Each structure stands twice: as structure tokens, then as C-alpha cells.
């Protein structure tokens, strides 16, 4: 069951990666690296789809010989190995050197594929079973074991070169997502090398006495994990930055909600701070658009309200705030100042003049300062709510 789940996951993910990268190739069809990468995804998806048990029997019947899907999978793997190498070569080497290396690599893997097909025809493995068991059963035959040794050597050679080139390229890249992608490609290829090593171990265990073989689940688990890592590596430069944007959006939304109690309290005292009418409290949780702008406005409006309400604050609270500048309890003192002002005669509040509002806006303008302002005001909002709860509890106890 788990084997089928991993196989279906790899098949669907590789096909999705092909469709995801295909527009880039269509917009620039002469880009050899993009073409090779799409070929890598195409033959990767073929290798997984044709070996799924739901399709395996139909394809074998269509081609008309036993284990037909096995040779289709293995030829696809050799081609995708070559395609991945071509992609890395064209990313890491100068154009003329890359073109020459691509030509030789294509010729070498082409000849290796022809030899692979001829050897398969000569060996003709007849033991048929599920995709998970067929290779293991046929490896018990010496001829097929030698054939499979040759197949693994092709894969290992190609993946080793991919590891070397990808690691070397990752060290020279400054852009985070592209560098991470190359590390994932190299790590995934390294896992495929581990898979080849475990397969060699299995062959030795089947044909030598006194050697115990590896667990069968190691083959597909390591190979599928390596494949998924490589696919993530080749696609993450496109969708990785969007993850960062999504993360920033959720962080801003959380900050927007955390500032809501403090903003609502000062808005009730000084509604003139808001440029727009706020939504009803039932709809206050819905993120406004654009969120960055409304979060920015919320910070400015709270600061403007502080300027307007400061004249009503308790002098003792103001003195404590002045003494707490730069200390850990500064946010608590600031919340106490606001609360004392809000408990005063709200009708005496005078709107802040334009120079005060301008100064407040300019203090929040730089992005780094805005981040600091948001973090500070979130602490003030928490302290404000805590003070409200404590005073409310004390009032209820006193009245009781």
C-alpha cells in the first residue's frame, strides 16, 4: 500500500512539474537547459506511470512481451539521467564548453541506451510479478543480474556527475532559492547513488553464500525520496519565493489581529484617526486588501491617537513611561499611559495638528522601523489587555 502511494505521488508530482516548467520552454524553445529539464520531467513521469500496477498489465499486453514495462522504465531512467546532466552542465559551464560537453554526453548515453536494449533482448527476463517484486525475482538469474549491474552503472555514473556539478554550482550562487534548489538536486542524486549501492548489495546477497540482503522497502523508499528531492530542487526557484510572500502575509495578518484590541480602544476615544470607516466587529477578522497598507495605517493611527490622548494621561503614568525608556517594562508603562488617558474625559480630546501627524508617519516609513513599531505595539496591546483584565477583576471584586 505504501509503495503504491509513493509511486503515485512521484508520478503525479513529476507530471505536475513538467506542466509547471513547460511554459518557460515554450517561451524560449532554444534554451537547451530548459528543454533538457522538461525532458527530465517527461521521462521521469513515464518511468513512474508505466510501472504502476494499474497500467502495467495493459502496457505489457500492448507491447507483446514479458516485462515490457521494465525496459521502458529503465530506458526512461537512462534518458532522464542524461537530461538532468545536460541541464546541470548548461547551467554551470560556459556556453561553448557546455555545448561540446552536451554533444559528447548525448552520444555516450545514446550508445549506452542501445546496448541496454540489446542486452535486455538477449537476456529476456520471463519472471513476471508486481512492479515491486519483478526485479527481485529476475535478479536471481545470473544473466539478468549482470544486465542489471550494467544498468546500475549507467545510472550511478550519471548521478555522480550531477552531484559533483550541482554541489559546485550551489557554492557559487548568491540567490537563496536557486542555491537551495541545487543543494536539493545534489542531495536527491546522492540518494539515487545510495539506491544503486543497495541494489548492488542485493545482487551480491542473491548470488553469494553467507551474505544477507537488504530490506526490500529500502529500494523504493530511497529512490522515490531522491526523485522527490530532485523535483523540488528543480522547481523551487519558481515557487519558493512565493512561499516567502505567503509567510510574510500570514505574519502581517497575525500582527493586524494582535493590534486590533489596542486600535479599537483608541478608535472609540478618537474616531478621527481613521481614514476609512472600520468594519463591524463581527467582520473585523476578515483581512482587508491590501493588507500591508491597512497594517501600516493601523500603526500610524495608534501612534496618532497616542499624540492626541497624551494630554489626558495621568502625569504619574507619564513619568513612569519616561523612566522606563529602553527597559523591558516600557510596553507596560506605555499601555498604562494609554489606559489612564482613555479613562479621562474623552470629550476634552483635541485632534492632533498636521505637523504631529506628519512626524508620526515619517517615523514609521522605513520598513525596518515599521517592523520594530509593529513588534513594539503588539507588546503594548498585550499589556493593555492584561491591565484591562486586572482592573476589571479588581472592580468586580470591590463591588461584590
Amino acid at each position: 500500500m505504501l509503495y503504491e502511494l509513493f509511486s503515485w505521488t512521484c508520478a503525479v508530482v513529476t507530471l505536475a512539474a513538467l506542466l509547471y516548467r513547460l511554459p518557460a520552454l515554450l517561451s524560449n524553445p532554444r534554451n537547451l537547459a530548459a528543454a533538457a529539464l522538461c525532458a527530465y520531467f517527461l521521462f521521469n513521469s513515464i518511468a513512474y506511470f508505466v510501472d504502476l500496477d494499474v497500467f502495467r498489465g495493459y502496457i505489457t499486453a500492448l507491447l507483446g512481451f514479458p516485462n515490457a514495462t521494465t525496459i521502458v522504465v529503465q530506458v526512461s531512467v537512462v534518458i532522464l539521467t542524461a537530461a538532468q546532466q545536460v541541464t546541470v552542465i548548461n547551467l554551470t559551464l560556459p556556453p561553448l564548453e557546455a555545448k561540446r560537453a552536451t554533444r559528447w554526453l548525448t552520444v555516450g548515453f545514446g550508445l549506452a541506451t542501445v546496448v541496454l536494449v540489446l542486452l535486455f533482448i538477449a537476456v529476456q527476463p520471463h519472471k513476471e510479478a508486481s512492479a515491486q517484486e519483478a526485479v527481485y525475482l529476475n535478479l536471481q538469474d545470473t544473466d539478468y543480474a549482470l544486465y542489471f549491474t550494467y544498468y546500475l552503472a549507467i545510472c550511478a555514473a550519471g548521478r555522480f556527475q550531477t552531484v559533483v556539478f550541482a554541489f559546485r554550482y550551489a557554492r557559487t550562487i548568491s540567490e537563496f532559492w536557486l542555491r537551495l534548489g541545487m543543494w536539493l538536486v545534489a542531495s536527491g542524486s546522492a540518494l539515487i547513488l545510495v539506491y544503486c549501492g543497495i541494489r548492488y548489495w542485493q545482487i551480491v546477497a542473491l548470488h553469494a553464500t553467507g551474505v544477507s540482503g537488504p530490506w526490500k522497502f529500502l529500494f523504493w523508499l530511497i529512490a522515490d525520496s531522491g526523485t522527490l528531492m530532485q523535483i523540488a530542487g528543480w522547481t523551487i526557484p519558481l515557487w519558493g519565493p512565493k512561499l516567502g510572500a505567503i509567510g510574510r502575509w500570514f505574519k502581517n495578518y497575525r500582527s493586524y489581529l494582535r493590534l486590533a484590541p489596542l486600535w479599537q480602544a483608541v478608535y472609540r476615544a478618537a474616531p478621527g484617526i481613521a481614514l476609512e470607516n472600520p468594519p463591524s466587529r463581527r467582520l473585523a477578522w476578515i483581512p482587508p486588501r491590501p493588507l500591508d497598507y491597512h497594517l501600516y495605517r493601523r500603526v500610524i493611527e495608534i501612534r496618532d491617537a497616542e499624540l492626541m490622548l497624551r494630554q489626558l494621561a495621568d502625569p504619574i503614568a507619564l513619568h513612569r513611561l519616561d523612566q522606563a525608556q529602553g527597559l523591558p517594562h516600557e510596553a507596560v508603562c506605555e499601555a498604562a499611559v494609554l489606559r489612564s488617558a482613555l479613562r479621562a474625559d474623552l470629550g476634552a480630546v483635541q485632534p492632533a495638528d498636521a505637523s504631529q501627524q506628519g512626524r508620526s508617519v515619517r517615523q514609521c516609513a522605513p520598513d525596518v522601523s515599521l517592523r520594530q513599531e509593529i513588534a513594539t505595539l503588539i507588546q503594548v496591546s498585550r499589556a493593555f489587555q492584561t491591565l484591562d483584565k486586572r482592573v476589571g477583576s479588581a472592580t468586580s471584586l470591590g463591588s461584590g
Side-chain angles (χ1 to χ4, degrees), residues 5-345:
L5 178 62
F6 265 74
S7 298
W8 272 104
T9 301
C10 291
V12 172
V13 167
T14 50
L15 183 59
L18 172 63
L19 298 176
Y20 189 58
R21 296 291 307 204
L22 199 57
L25 175 61
L26 296 178
S27 63
N28 187 11
R30 295 191 176 185
N31 188 328
L32 188 56
L37 185 58
C38 286
Y40 165 77
F41 290 137
L42 173 63
F43 284 97
N44 221 328
S45 61
I46 291 174
Y48 276 102
F49 272 112
V50 302
D51 218 27
L52 292 170
D53 287 335
V54 67
F55 302 125
R56 186 180 173 87
Y58 294 108
I59 296 172
T60 299
L62 179 65
L63 296 179
F65 60 92
N67 292 301
T69 58
T70 300
I71 188 60
V72 173
V73 170
Q74 291 171 353
V75 168
S76 298
V77 169
V78 173
I79 295 174
L80 70 88
T81 301
Q84 183 169 239
Q85 258 196 277
V86 170
T87 304
V88 177
I89 285 172
N90 281 271
L91 288 175
T92 57
L93 297 180
L96 291 178
E97 188 177 347
K99 188 176 292 187
R100 185 167 55 251
T102 298
R103 189 181 302 116
W104 282 108
L105 189 137
T106 304
V107 172
F109 273 91
L111 291 174
T113 304
V114 171
V115 173
L116 185 75
V117 173
L118 293 175
L119 287 176
F120 184 87
I121 295 172
V123 171
Q124 292 185 354
H126 291 287
K127 296 178 182 178
E128 293 189 273
S130 65
Q132 189 176 4
E133 296 290 337
V135 172
Y136 173 77
L137 293 177
N138 285 291
L139 279 177
Q140 298 175 29
D141 297 332
T142 304
D143 292 341
Y144 187 82
L146 293 173
Y147 158 82
F148 202 75
T149 299
Y150 169 72
Y151 162 71
L152 291 174
I154 300 173
C155 296
R159 299 309 171 109
F160 177 77
Q161 287 295 326
T162 300
V163 171
V164 172
F165 278 107
F167 270 132
R168 186 184 302 167
Y169 186 42
R171 294 177 181 176
T172 64
I173 303 171
S174 58
E175 203 277 318
F176 171 75
W177 292 108
L178 186 55
R179 184 172 68 252
L180 176 61
M182 286 297 99
W183 281 106
L184 287 172
V185 168
S187 301
S189 296
L191 278 180
I192 303 299
L193 284 175
V194 174
Y195 161 80
C196 294
I198 294 176
R199 278 296 191 189
Y200 279 129
W201 174 13
Q202 184 186 45
I203 292 171
V204 172
L206 287 172
H207 295 275
T209 56
V211 180
S212 58
W215 292 320
K216 292 182 182 179
F217 75 88
L218 284 178
F219 306 119
W220 57 265
L221 182 61
I222 291 175
D224 292 352
S225 299
T227 297
L228 292 174
M229 287 182 69
Q230 290 173 103
I231 293 169
W234 285 121
T235 56
I236 202 171
L238 289 179
W239 53 265
K242 297 178 182 177
L243 288 180
I246 293 172
R248 285 191 298 272
W249 187 92
F250 276 105
K251 185 177 181 180
N252 287 342
Y253 178 57
R254 184 176 59 180
S255 299
Y256 182 82
L257 293 180
R258 287 178 173 178
L259 291 178
L262 182 61
W263 182 89
Q264 289 166 358
V266 299
Y267 173 75
R268 286 193 297 269
I273 61 173
L275 292 180
E276 303 173 359
N277 293 327
S280 64
R281 298 195 68 174
R282 291 182 179 180
L283 302 178
W285 60 272
I286 299 177
R289 298 179 62 185
L291 180 60
D292 291 350
Y293 167 76
H294 285 278
L295 176 61
Y296 178 68
R297 281 301 314 166
R298 181 155 283 188
V299 170
I300 293 174
E301 289 164 4
I302 291 173
R303 287 306 188 194
D304 286 347
E306 285 182 336
L307 291 173
M308 297 171 64
L309 296 169
R310 191 179 180 89
Q311 58 187 302
L312 301 177
D314 183 358
I316 297 177
L318 285 171
H319 176 72
R320 289 174 177 171
L321 176 59
D322 291 337
Q323 296 295 317
Q325 295 294 322
L327 298 177
H329 63 286
E330 181 181 355
V332 177
C333 293
E334 189 173 344
V337 168
L338 271 173
R339 194 176 188 288
S340 68
L342 291 173
R343 294 183 66 190
D345 182 10

Side-chain angles (χ1 to χ4, degrees), residues 304 307-308 311 350-361:
D304 286 347
L307 291 173
M308 297 171 64
Q311 58 187 302
Q350 299 294 324
D353 58 37
S355 64
Q356 287 178 318
Q357 291 184 1
R359 181 170 67 253
S360 175
V361 171

